[in-house]
Amino acid sequence: MSPLSNHGTGARVSSEVRAVGLGASAGGLVVLEQFLAQVPPLSGLAYIVVQHLDPTHKAMLVELLQRSTAMLVIEATDAMHLEPDVVYVIPPNKDLTVEEGVLRLAPPALPRGMRLPIDVLFSSLARDQGEQSIGVILSGMGSDGTLGLQAIKSQGGLTLAQLPESAQFDSMPKSAIAAGCVDIIGMASELPDRIIRITEEKYGGSLSPEGDADSNELALVSILRLLRARSKHDLSDYKPSTLRRRIQRRLGVHGLTTQAAYEKFVRQNPQELDLLFKEMLIGVTSFFRDPSVWQELKDVVMPALLARCPDGTRLRAWVVGCSTGEEAYSLAMIFKEAVAELSGAESRSLQIFASDLSADAIAVARKGHYSLKISGDVEPSRLARFFTAQGSGFLINKEIREMVLFAQHDVILDPPFTKLDLLSCRNLMIYFNAALQRRLMPLFSYSLRPGGALLLGGSETIGNSQSLFTPLSLKSRLYWRGENAVNAGSVDFPISHRRPMSRLPQEFKVSPTAVPLANLQTHAEQVLLQEFSPAAVLVNDQGDVVYINGSVGKYLEPASGKANWNIHVMARPAIRTQIAAAMRQALQEKSIVEVRGLRLGEKPAQTSLNVTVKVMQEPKSLAGLVMIVFHDVIAPLPAKRRRRVSDGVVDPEMVQEVQRCKDEIHALRQEMGASAEELQAANEELQSTNEELQSANEELTTSKEESQSMNEELQTLNHELQSKLDDLALAQSDMQNLLNSTDIATLFLDSALNVRRYTDQITRIVHLREGDIGRPLTDLASTLNYPTLNDDARETLKTLTLTEKEITTTDGFWFLVRIKPYRTLANLIQGVVITLVDITAAKKLESRLRKG
């Protein structure tokens, strides 16, 4: 089921009822009414409305929304089951979530300030409904709903947002759109039709796109080729079912029926490829997912890894497909707990490399800030030890964040991290086809040190790689690296796996007639180049690799640490110095430099290596780049020495030449060592600066979020206060008119017997004007012959008893003077009320009766 929101909305389609939730900020009543007014009757959907409300204010949203829709509008209660064609409204001072189609209410985590009720609701929808969830963001301040929409998006759900130009408050729609997590943008009145049409197409008919199989397969191949050209990432090794399901969602978003139509659409709208690429990335994760696995990792694996390492050692781990970082941080916390429980392990540390294909997920992971919902996944003791409450969520402590280095990385195309003690790749390979899974196992074995541990997801296995790994626990999918080490030459490194898009998995093969004859020459040339051309790399003047031809794994090896594609780092140590010197000479002389007779190791070998370095001049597109070609040469059989050194004479020139070469080599090595140290120092300084800037940016972002949220709450309070002021002004006018209409002179005094208020009739007796408000009673002049008026008023204030006297005036009138305590609604005494009733006529009548 799902909610919409002026901040956000979410929707769910279940076997019983499909629901759409609506949410709004305090000023979003109009767009909520616009949305509900366009919902057709008997739509079969349930609607959940979430609005930012004053926790102490009784909401009237139910009554107001009922005016704009024929559906029943009710306030949500705990354990209420969702029903179709009903609108559910969140009550004040509550957080609303959905669990198995049932509404759940809970007190908010924060009594005031930066509450994010839309994020709370959306996150629950994403967990509960997966790809069936729908989220909509309408007018609102701040960024509430963005994280929730990202959660829905990561599960494959549908996300919508109001067009910012049409919103009274555009911060929330803009925030969601900028985060790249919105599928559909439109006017509030247009969104219901889009939701209903998509849900009907998705659940009312077949999920398979229309069109013949060949045209759909050709369109899919073309889409993947365009996606690779746009994103530089090859997704053809993903399972076809996953690719088709994700593309099918985009078909529904744009109202298309065939993959061929969608292929034409992406050609005309290249920005759609960016959205499709994000759609393909599945980011489902949480802290300590599968707790039993983490417990076994802590109790068995960590002690074994720590025991084999000497004091002061830094262990290395790689989390592949880390998504938003929860698993990497979980690993860091587990390590800290294991070190604390093992005596003598305090000097050991852990460096975690966490990589993912999604730049957005990496950005979230680096912030280390998570919503309040993680309290359901993280034990209270861990929350207190490793997290700090901040804003509407929790921030990972600095000691844990410093253990993890996040990087955008493609495990299919980019070089792996090496010399690892632990490698975690959970629930990633389930999206890959069998061929890619078989290729990754040797790569993972090569990346691990002897005795290293491999952790897979609950639905993943090592397949046919039993010789490479020994199972520790089949249930937990934990493995030790086996004794049979993988040779670098037998590993299909990603850097050499740049296959053309025409070489697709078996699932994507099309009929031969689908390949135009005009491309036969191109395809044949590609095969010849791949099979028979020498291994070579193309680098720029700094040594960064820009192109690789053939298998270069024998000569180049990815360096440990962060992925680095520089020839000076990747070259084997035995040939690194010679290649650097040849490159420098070629660049200086603009000529071809050949280095012959190189050895890749210390041991004698049957082959030697010749390296040719050439600075490219033609074509112009390659001008300035350097081509490095590797040639293996079979070493000649050892022959008898044909020449003797007669009489023990040594050629002095040859000795000098040898010495000169040694000196030059020594100088080059010293120069390269110094350069490497300078680069390392610069890199560390840049990383430190980046961390500081990132921390400052996080603090500023958090402050901005809090300010926006407080601004919205202040606006809400301002509207309420203005309404109360209007009511008070009206009540004051009513009271003033009532007092004047009684024709009774009345004087209100405060507890110090100063004038507070009076009626117009008393000005004929006591000389008062507007400026006398606040003056003491004793300072007022009157026509009353009542010298003890002030004393009687003070006595009434003291004893709280009524004082009543008949008093004459200097101009011959009689008044009945009553002095009563002024009692507030809270039963507090805050002054006295003096009323003067004209009894002159009664006194004259009494006088006449006595005389008669």
Side-chain angles (χ1 to χ4, degrees), residues 47-181:
Y47 298 85
I48 306 172
V49 176
V50 176
Q51 186 183 34
H52 287 178
L53 300 172
D54 181 359
T56 62
H57 179 71
K58 178 175 175 57
M60 299 183 63
L61 192 59
V62 173
E63 294 81 359
L64 296 174
L65 291 180
Q66 190 66 77
R67 302 177 306 183
S68 59
T69 178
M71 295 184 292
L72 175 64
V73 182
I74 59 176
E75 187 171 86
T77 59
D78 191 47
M80 178 179 286
H81 288 267
L82 291 172
E83 299 292 339
D85 302 308
V86 178
V87 179
Y88 301 90
V89 178
I90 186 174
N93 202 31
K94 294 291 182 182
D95 278 343
L96 178 62
T97 57
V98 177
E99 296 179 6
E100 299 181 354
V102 177
L103 297 176
R104 296 295 182 186
L105 295 178
L110 298 176
R112 280 280 186 179
M114 189 179 172
R115 294 182 181 177
L116 300 174
I118 308 303
D119 280 333
V120 172
L121 178 59
F122 283 3
S123 298
S124 71
L125 288 169
R127 291 194 303 270
D128 188 54
Q129 302 159 28
E131 64 180 22
Q132 295 177 339
S133 56
I134 299 177
V136 181
I137 287 184
L138 302 174
S139 171
M141 294 288 291
S143 63
D144 190 11
T146 298
L147 291 177
L149 279 193
Q150 289 176 337
I152 291 175
K153 183 78 171 178
S154 68
Q155 299 293 330
L158 179 65
T159 56
L160 305 92
Q162 181 181 1
L163 186 68
E165 290 77 8
S166 67
Q168 180 181 5
F169 302 104
D170 60 3
S171 297
M172 291 188 55
K174 281 186 174 179
S175 174
I177 294 170
C181 57

Side-chain angles (χ1 to χ4, degrees), residues 288-297 475-476 478:
F288 302 101
R289 183 168 52 166
D290 302 327
S292 60
V293 175
W294 291 100
Q295 190 64 39
E296 190 165 3
L297 193 67
K475 182 179 179 181
S476 300
L478 278 165

Side-chain angles (χ1 to χ4, degrees), residues 339-567:
V339 168
E341 294 176 4
L342 292 174
S343 59
E346 297 80 6
S347 63
R348 297 170 181 85
S349 60
L350 175 65
Q351 175 70 69
I352 301 174
F353 303 99
S355 64
D356 196 88
L357 199 56
S358 171
D360 294 336
I362 290 297
V364 173
R366 282 177 177 152
K367 291 180 179 179
H369 188 273
Y370 299 94
S371 64
L372 297 173
K373 68 182 181 66
I374 68 168
S375 57
D377 302 322
V378 183
E379 297 176 359
S381 58
R382 284 174 174 157
L383 273 178
R385 180 179 177 185
F386 300 116
F387 293 83
T388 302
Q390 185 179 91
S392 62
F394 297 98
L395 180 68
I396 296 283
N397 289 346
K398 186 177 181 181
E399 65 165 340
I400 298 298
R401 278 191 293 166
E402 289 180 344
M403 294 174 61
V404 187
L405 179 62
F406 291 99
Q408 188 179 7
H409 180 277
D410 188 346
V411 71
I412 302 176
L413 297 178
D414 293 333
F417 294 90
T418 57
K419 298 181 181 179
L420 304 172
D421 298 282
L422 175 65
L423 193 154
S424 173
C425 182
R426 304 186 68 204
N427 301 314
L428 176 64
M429 292 196 296
I430 57 175
Y431 301 107
F432 297 158
N433 60 29
L436 180 56
Q437 292 181 18
R438 288 192 298 270
R439 185 170 72 84
L440 287 179
M441 283 298 109
L443 186 70
F444 288 167
S445 177
Y446 176 80
S447 298
L448 286 166
R449 286 178 173 141
L454 173 67
L455 174 60
L456 300 179
S459 302
E460 300 167 333
T461 65
I462 58 175
N464 297 326
S465 302
Q466 290 86 353
S467 62
L468 302 178
F469 297 97
T470 302
L472 167 65
S473 172
L474 292 177
K475 182 179 179 181
S476 300
R477 296 296 189 265
L478 278 165
Y479 303 87
W480 295 113
R481 183 194 178 196
E483 296 296 332
N484 297 326
V486 176
N487 295 323
S490 63
V491 179
D492 188 3
F493 284 103
I495 57 172
S496 63
H497 193 68
R498 297 283 181 171
R499 68 183 186 193
M501 288 294 295
S502 58
R503 293 176 57 189
L504 292 171
Q506 182 66 30
E507 296 89 338
F508 292 132
K509 287 186 178 179
V510 298
S511 60
T513 57
V515 181
L517 293 177
N519 291 334
L520 288 178
Q521 179 181 354
T522 301
H523 293 169
E525 291 174 352
Q526 290 176 349
V527 172
L528 289 172
L529 287 173
Q530 291 173 357
E531 297 295 333
F532 301 105
S533 62
V537 293
L538 189 66
V539 302
N540 60 19
D541 57 353
Q542 300 299 320
D544 296 324
V545 178
V546 297
Y547 180 79
I548 296 176
N549 181 73
S551 178
V552 297
K554 185 177 180 181
Y555 321 108
L556 307 179
E557 179 184 17
S560 61
K562 188 176 180 180
N564 191 335
W565 281 58
N566 192 280
I567 190 71

Side-chain angles (χ1 to χ4, degrees), residues 44 157 197 276 290 329 347 409 437 477 592 609 647 691 741:
R197 180 161 54 84
L276 177 61
D290 302 327
Y329 288 132
S347 63
H409 180 277
Q437 292 181 18
R477 296 296 189 265
I592 299 176
L609 174 66
D647 300 329
E691 288 292 334
S741 65

